[in-house]
Amino acid sequence: MRTQTGVSASVCLVELHAGLIDSQCLLGAHAEITSVITLCRFDVTHRDRETGGAEMKSCRAAGLILLVALLLGFLYWNQSRAAADVFPVSHEFHLEAEHLQYKQPSILQGRNDVVTVTPWLAPVVWEGSFDPVLLDGIYRPKNISITATVFAVGKYIMFLKDFLETAEQHFFVGFNVHVYVFTDQPKEVPRVQMAAGRKLTVRSVLDSQRWQEISARRMELIQTLIEERHRNIMDYIFCLDVDSRFHGRWGTESLGRLVAVIHPGYYKDPRSSFPYERRPVSRAYVAPGEGDFYYCGGAFGGLLQEVHLLARTCHRNFKEDARNNIEAAWQEESHLNRYMWVNKPSKVLSPEYLWQDFKPRNPEVHIVRFSGVVKNYAKIRPNV
């Protein structure tokens, strides 16, 4: 027997599977299924007694199955709701600024030489587009923690000391910072004096004969780190290249749900010239005419659960490519760009946040905050 009420109950079960169910749907569906069973019983008793018995059993069985499914759905929904109730709300949606003194903002004055918002309304952070006093005043009382990951494998260990020392001077100064160094040479990690509330943890990893494999493995290790060590969704994480150094403030203006950094080498170019992965067989594929910006693989971040999802997805896609004997053009950076195109970042950092030391600073770049140092790849990479 199929009635409109049966259809509504089925819709409720579909919503349950999709995670959209609510209590009214469950209670309503229960009442509807009970009504269907009653109608079924009434209908069958007015038919031939011999065939009616079999139909009655079938009707009751179908109703019982639906009721059990709804009961399990209710338990799942109730448990999910209870778990969701204990999640704190993200900092970025509650920017409280009571009793703070700062310069009056204006919607008529500001940067007019650069774009400060994306087409999907994410801020693009440039010098002069934010008030550091205001932002620090908002975030400091929240006692947030910032995790930074850096990989110093093989000869890249030579860049670690400069990275750590300049981070102490410019990276989230005055906030809780935990730097994780992944290296195959833990005894070579330099001793750097760190301020109160800041600490460094060394995690051992294996070296590789191919720098591409080292690059690709980062997503897996970042995913594992978050799963093992960090479960507080209020914390943030940034994943940074070790062959870089800080020159200026990198602070609360960079916080967001999912944060990408625009690559300094391509931000003036048409997207047709971006080095996206262009082979459709790769999971990192970006088709012609698609894509927004070209983002750096050497700097990205956001809330822990968002970066965990990014890292897990990129790692899974990289493994799928490997099973098909494919290696994306720029390994993790290619997969990152694919991910960021599909899952738009909530904040985009300008090239100030990862410039290149070998090139002169362009007029619109008022300050270089973080940059990749000049290096000879032939000497530091196991293969070029």
Side-chain angles (χ1 to χ4, degrees), residues 102-109 131 134:
Y102 52 93
K103 182 180 178 180
Q104 179 181 346
S106 172
I107 61 171
L108 301 177
Q109 298 177 342
D131 187 331
L134 170 60

Side-chain angles (χ1 to χ4, degrees), residues 242-254:
V242 69
D243 53 340
S244 311
R245 70 190 313 269
F246 294 89
H247 306 272
R249 171 195 168 95
W250 181 320
T252 51
E253 75 282 354
S254 67

Side-chain angles (χ1 to χ4, degrees), residues 154-363:
K155 294 182 179 180
Y156 277 81
I157 192 76
M158 70 173 69
F159 303 110
L160 183 57
K161 187 173 188 294
D162 199 25
F163 175 93
L164 294 173
E165 288 180 344
T166 57
E168 279 299 293
Q169 300 169 25
H170 302 292
F171 184 72
F172 284 96
V173 175
F175 288 85
N176 300 317
V177 174
H178 192 167
V179 179
Y180 283 87
V181 175
F182 294 83
T183 182
D184 60 330
Q185 305 162 71
K187 294 182 179 179
E188 300 300 318
V189 173
R191 293 181 178 271
V192 175
Q193 185 65 37
M194 305 187 80
R198 303 168 74 92
K199 59 182 177 179
L200 184 149
T201 298
V202 178
R203 302 194 73 168
S204 295
V205 295
L206 297 177
D207 193 4
S208 175
Q209 295 303 310
R210 299 181 67 247
W211 67 267
Q212 293 92 339
E213 293 174 358
I214 299 170
S215 173
R217 212 164 64 226
R218 295 205 311 176
M219 290 297 186
E220 178 184 7
L221 293 170
I222 291 167
Q223 173 189 345
T224 302
L225 173 68
I226 296 174
E227 291 171 352
E228 290 180 354
R229 300 293 183 181
H230 298 281
R231 288 294 184 181
N232 182 355
I233 71 166
M234 300 306 289
D235 288 341
Y236 296 86
I237 183 170
F238 285 91
C239 310
L240 306 171
D241 271 358
V242 69
D243 53 340
S244 311
R245 70 190 313 269
F246 294 89
H247 306 272
R249 171 195 168 95
W250 181 320
T252 51
E253 75 282 354
S254 67
L255 294 178
R257 178 183 55 80
L258 183 63
V259 181
V261 180
I262 293 180
H263 197 292
Y266 302 99
Y267 72 98
K268 291 189 174 185
D269 298 339
R271 62 184 172 189
S272 59
S273 65
F274 292 170
Y276 290 143
E277 172 54 60
R278 297 300 190 181
R279 294 170 295 174
V281 291
S282 173
R283 297 299 295 269
Y285 174 63
V286 178
E290 296 179 345
D292 298 312
F293 307 104
Y294 190 77
Y295 301 114
C296 296
F300 60 91
L303 287 169
L304 282 171
Q305 75 271 27
E306 290 291 338
V307 176
H308 177 262
L309 180 59
L310 180 156
R312 185 180 66 185
T313 302
C314 291
H315 175 224
R316 182 182 66 236
N317 289 340
F318 185 89
K319 288 199 302 181
E320 181 65 23
D321 273 4
R323 281 192 289 268
N324 295 319
N325 296 317
I326 303 167
E327 185 173 80
W330 289 101
Q331 296 79 43
E332 98 217 59
E333 188 170 85
S334 296
H335 288 282
L336 174 78
N337 271 275
R338 165 73 188 188
Y339 184 90
M340 291 287 192
W341 171 63
V342 175
N343 305 276
K344 307 298 188 192
S346 63
K347 184 168 289 186
V348 175
L349 306 184
S350 71
E352 299 171 358
Y353 289 83
L354 189 48
W355 195 247
Q356 295 166 316
D357 282 354
F358 65 80
K359 62 191 299 180
R361 193 173 73 191
N362 292 337

Side-chain angles (χ1 to χ4, degrees), residues 359-379:
K359 62 191 299 180
R361 193 173 73 191
N362 292 337
E364 65 274 6
V365 180
H366 294 180
I367 180 176
V368 172
R369 305 177 187 279
F370 188 55
S371 70
V373 302
V374 177
K375 48 196 167 289
N376 184 342
Y377 286 114
K379 291 185 176 181

